[in-house]
Amino acid sequence: MNRLLHNIRLRNKMLLVYFGCIFAPMLVTNMLFYTIIADNVRERRVEEIDRAVEQIRNDFRAQIDGAVGVSAFFYADSTTNELLERDYARTEAYVEAYDGYLRRIFGNHSMSSPALQSITVYVDNPTILHSGNIGLLSAQVKRTAWYAEGSSSERSYPVFVRTTTEDGRFGGFSLLRRMDYFQDRMSKEKLLRIDFKTLDLIETFANLNMTGDLYLVNPQGGIEYTTDAAVDWRGQAAYAALQADDAMEFVKDFGGVSYLKGWRIVGAIDEDEIIREVRRSRDFIVWSACLMILLPTVIILLVTRSMNVRIVRILQHMKKVKNQQFARIAGDQYRDEIGQLTLEFNRMILQIRSLIDDVYLADIQRKSLELARRKAQWNALQSQINPHFLFNALETIRMRSLLKQEKETAKIIHSMARMFRSSLTWNKDRISVKEELELIECFLDIQRYRFEDKLSCRIEVAPEAYDCEVPKMLLLPFAENACIHGIEPLKQGGEIHIRITTEEDELRFEVTDNGRGMEEEEVKRIYTHLNADDMMGERIGLQNVIYRARMAYGDRFRLSVNSRPDVGTAIVLRMPLRSE
């Protein structure tokens, strides 16, 4: 898998990442989101319609319940039933009874509900005045359809009916109830009729959340009222004939309510109406998905182009480097990783150019140094011929001194031979501090033999400094300088103190004498040697040593000189540590 990915170009990788990680997941997500939203919109719309139909049913029942409450009062009111049951000899007696009680009762209950239009009690009593809220239960009334429905109810339950006029036209809606609560002691038939305001009932069906059609269906399946303008509900229309296959129905009945048994409210809405709501959600989701896909697509293309173009440009310049064309990448500097890569590539090109130039120069210098080294070896071989005879002569003198029991002279000759041999052996450029101290002690032995009691020496060396390496004969000339130029001019002699220690990552060499000291000009001259850039040439002494130290350690070699005339001189050398 990794090998396959490694062989795909960067631009194709970015496209693969885009389609695999952005486009495809976003497309699938939006499809799922649309499906869920469509189902939610459909369910929410169905719930809204269902609640609207239920609310209409509750409002309709509340109006009917108000009338039922009024009917319950008249049904159980003994005073009303007694006044209507009584036979009146004179009209004035009835009018007095009506004004004394019935007028007030009818007036109060007529205003108890705004949906009630009138309250009328039909009674089979010819002795009362049939006017106002009292009607005669005549043979003509008994022939009406509404009387038949009201008188046929069992157990004197209220009955909700649709009334018609004498010519068969729609009259309104009424609640009928037989008033036979006291039938065991009252014989006259009484029937209560409460008429509703048709306009108030119609307004109950005007629900703004219901975009379909509403039907008030009676127990026989006939339409008593509908909001469908195409149906003549005032005539005799059956709901079953209007049912459509592509319509959704929401049926709400009145449960166990006896006076509305068989009645139901039906809400019918076209399936396309609900789908229209879903389509509006679909359009929103589609446009949102297009925007969410388009915006990341543009960003991905811009980022991909920014990366691909610059990486291809770097690759082209790398191919030029393969063909030995060291051209820098032109253009502005950027702060991202590719910009840093471009910057480092340009820096590498500059370094390659510089290294090429340096290699040519270094090759020329290397050849020059090689010639100089061979010449130096030739001269060294020649210079070792004559010292060989000198070493043999010194060894002969030393042996002669030993035979004559002149041990001190033999020791000095031995020290001198060791110094000559060490100075002429250059196959070992660096020696340990311990070996350098042996040469210094040989030199000091010669000087003590020369000055006798005028010279005293004291050497202190830290144990960890013995194994540190230094260029051969780097420290000896400073001890020699202290003897020759510091102590020798004094008649009473003097002392030399040599101290070698380590401080952190440096080797510290200090030589102190109480000799004649140096003037300020002489000290400045020594510092001039330290800062001079010219070649060593044929010069010897401190200038030679300082030049060799600078060649070995560069700027890490430090020299400090503290000297006062007739007081003495202290020279301190500091150089990097180098252990065996």
Side-chain angles (χ1 to χ4, degrees):
M1 185 65 181
N2 290 333
R3 179 176 297 179
L4 178 63
L5 291 176
H6 293 338
N7 291 324
I8 299 176
R9 297 186 63 184
L10 179 61
R11 182 178 181 181
N12 296 334
K13 288 180 182 177
M14 296 297 293
L15 292 176
L16 182 63
V17 170
Y18 168 69
F19 283 104
C21 300
I22 297 179
F23 183 81
M26 190 172 295
L27 184 62
V28 174
T29 302
N30 280 281
M31 292 177 63
L32 295 175
F33 181 69
Y34 169 71
T35 303
I36 295 173
I37 290 296
D39 293 341
N40 290 338
V41 169
R42 180 184 177 88
E43 293 177 1
R44 183 187 64 190
R45 186 56 183 160
V46 170
E47 291 177 359
E48 289 177 353
I49 296 173
D50 187 74
R51 285 196 298 267
V53 175
E54 185 175 1
Q55 181 65 36
I56 293 171
R57 181 200 64 179
N58 295 336
D59 294 343
F60 181 79
R61 179 180 172 181
Q63 295 187 14
I64 305 302
D65 287 345
V68 171
V70 173
S71 71
F73 172 80
F74 286 101
Y75 175 73
D77 184 29
S78 60
T79 303
T80 301
N81 280 273
E82 289 176 357
L83 291 176
L84 295 176
E85 182 73 19
R86 185 184 303 170
D87 292 327
Y88 296 94
R90 293 181 299 107
T91 303
E92 291 81 359
Y94 167 73
V95 172
E96 183 180 356
Y98 182 83
D99 292 339
Y101 183 76
L102 294 178
R103 184 185 298 276
R104 178 173 55 83
I105 294 302
F106 281 109
N108 292 339
H109 286 86
S110 296
M111 295 184 296
S112 63
S113 175
L116 301 182
Q117 183 174 353
S118 62
I119 302 174
T120 305
V121 177
Y122 292 88
V123 59
D124 187 11
N125 188 353
T127 64
I128 63 176
L129 184 63
H130 301 289
S131 62
N133 298 100
I134 304 300
L136 176 63
L137 191 58
S138 61
Q140 182 181 0
V141 173
K142 292 181 178 181
R143 289 194 297 270
T144 60
W146 61 267
Y147 172 79
E149 293 184 18
S151 60
S152 63
S153 63
E154 300 177 356
R155 301 178 60 183
S156 301
Y157 285 149
V159 179
F160 179 75
V161 298
R162 170 183 173 179
T163 61
T164 59
T165 61
E166 294 180 355
D167 57 358
R169 298 180 63 186
F170 173 76
F173 295 99
S174 301
L175 183 73
L176 306 176
R177 187 170 191 174
R178 288 187 300 160
M179 297 175 61
D180 55 358
Y181 185 74
F182 302 99
Q183 62 181 356
D184 54 343
R185 54 188 178 89
M186 296 181 184
S187 60
K188 293 183 174 60
E189 183 181 3
K190 306 176 195 65
L191 182 64
L192 175 64
R193 174 176 171 175
I194 302 176
D195 294 328
F196 293 92
K197 294 179 181 178
T198 304
L199 182 62
D200 289 348
L201 290 179
I202 291 175
E203 287 181 353
T204 304
F205 289 84
N207 193 306
L208 297 177
N209 290 328
M210 181 62 191
T211 57
D213 298 321
L214 289 169
Y215 300 89
L216 178 62
V217 183
N218 60 26
Q220 292 75 33
I223 299 175
E224 299 294 348
Y225 174 74
T226 179
T227 58
D228 188 0
V231 178
D232 183 13
W233 58 272
R234 296 179 183 273
Q236 297 296 325
Y239 177 72
L242 300 177
Q243 289 181 305
D245 296 335
D246 58 347
M248 296 184 63
E249 292 184 350
F250 300 85
V251 181
K252 300 293 179 180
D253 55 23
F254 295 93
V257 180
S258 61
Y259 49 87
L260 291 174
K261 184 177 181 180
W263 289 79
R264 64 186 187 274
I265 295 177
V266 180
I269 184 171
D270 194 353
E271 185 76 20
D272 292 338
E273 180 66 25
I274 297 179
I275 296 177
R276 193 176 299 115
E277 294 286 339
V278 175
R279 287 174 180 171
R280 281 198 291 266
S281 301
R282 179 196 63 186
D283 294 340
F284 172 76
I285 294 174
V286 169
W287 285 109
S288 299
C290 291
L291 181 61
M292 287 187 291
I293 291 176
L294 181 61
L295 185 60
T297 300
V298 173
I299 295 175
I300 287 291
L301 289 177
L302 292 176
V303 173
T304 303
R305 186 180 183 279
S306 173
M307 296 174 57
N308 186 68
V309 169
R310 291 187 292 162
I311 290 179
V312 169
R313 184 171 57 181
I314 294 175
L315 182 60
Q316 291 174 349
H317 281 74
M318 285 184 174
K319 291 180 179 179
K320 291 182 180 180
V321 172
K322 184 177 67 174
N323 297 327
Q324 299 183 358
Q325 297 179 9
F326 304 101
R328 294 176 66 254
I329 300 176
D332 298 331
Q333 300 292 335
Y334 300 102
R335 298 182 179 179
D336 61 350
E337 286 77 2
I338 300 178
Q340 296 295 321
L341 181 62
T342 303
L343 179 63
E344 294 301 325
F345 178 83
N346 289 336
R347 187 176 298 170
M348 180 188 70
I349 291 299
L350 294 177
Q351 290 179 351
I352 290 175
R353 289 178 180 175
S354 177
L355 288 174
I356 289 175
D357 296 338
D358 292 343
V359 165
Y360 285 137
L361 295 176
D363 186 62
I364 295 174
Q365 292 179 355
R366 183 180 59 80
K367 292 180 178 179
S368 299
L369 290 176
E370 182 67 20
L371 292 175
R373 187 180 66 83
R374 290 183 178 275
K375 182 178 180 181
Q377 288 179 348
W378 174 260
N379 293 333
L381 290 174
Q382 284 187 335
S383 63
Q384 287 178 358
I385 296 175
N386 293 330
H388 174 73
F389 298 102
L390 179 60
F391 295 148
N392 291 336
L394 288 174
E395 183 65 18
T396 300
I397 296 172
R398 188 178 74 84
M399 295 299 298
R400 185 72 176 176
S401 298
L402 288 174
L403 292 174
K404 292 183 177 182
Q405 299 298 319
E406 296 178 357
K407 296 182 179 181
E408 185 176 2
T409 302
K411 180 181 178 182
I412 297 305
I413 293 174
H414 178 68
S415 298
M416 184 179 298
R418 287 187 59 188
M419 290 183 62
F420 277 142
R421 188 178 299 276
S422 177
S423 63
L424 293 176
T425 304
W426 292 99
N427 58 349
K428 188 176 181 182
D429 295 334
R430 289 179 178 269
I431 61 175
S432 65
V433 171
K434 182 178 180 181
E435 293 173 330
E436 183 77 8
L437 283 175
E438 291 177 355
L439 296 178
I440 294 175
E441 288 176 352
C442 290
F443 174 77
L444 293 177
D445 288 341
I446 296 173
Q447 297 302 318
R448 278 194 293 266
Y449 178 79
R450 177 185 175 190
F451 297 121
E452 295 181 352
D453 296 334
K454 291 178 60 178
L455 177 64
S456 63
C457 299
R458 185 159 51 96
I459 299 177
E460 296 179 14
V461 183
E464 64 273 12
Y466 279 112
D467 294 331
C468 297
E469 287 188 342
V470 294
K472 186 172 63 176
M473 299 188 72
L474 179 68
L475 307 180
L476 175 61
F478 291 96
E480 177 189 9
N481 190 72
C483 291
I484 303 301
H485 301 287
I487 304 302
E488 184 177 355
L490 300 180
K491 294 181 180 181
Q492 72 277 12
E495 181 183 8
I496 296 176
H497 181 200
I498 297 175
R499 188 167 180 266
I500 303 176
T501 58
T502 59
E503 295 180 359
E504 295 181 357
D505 59 343
E506 290 184 332
L507 177 68
R508 185 178 185 274
F509 174 79
E510 179 181 2
V511 55
T512 306
D513 66 76
N514 57 355
R516 70 175 185 86
M518 291 185 290
E519 298 292 340
E520 185 177 355
E521 290 76 10
E522 295 180 89
V523 175
K524 290 181 178 180
R525 189 180 303 115
I526 294 176
Y527 283 120
T528 303
H529 300 329
L530 183 64
N531 298 324
D533 294 331
D534 53 345
M535 298 293 289
M536 180 178 65
E538 302 296 332
R539 289 184 288 271
I540 58 173
L542 289 183
Q543 184 177 359
N544 188 336
V545 175
I546 292 172
Y547 183 78
R548 288 173 56 219
R550 286 178 57 201
M551 288 182 62
Y553 300 111
D555 295 335
R556 299 183 65 186
F557 172 75
R558 289 175 293 168
L559 170 69
S560 63
V561 180
N562 185 11
S563 181
R564 294 176 59 189
D566 300 327
V567 175
T569 302
I571 296 178
V572 179
L573 279 70
R574 295 177 184 271
M575 63 204 75
L577 289 176
R578 177 162 179 166
S579 300
E580 289 183 344

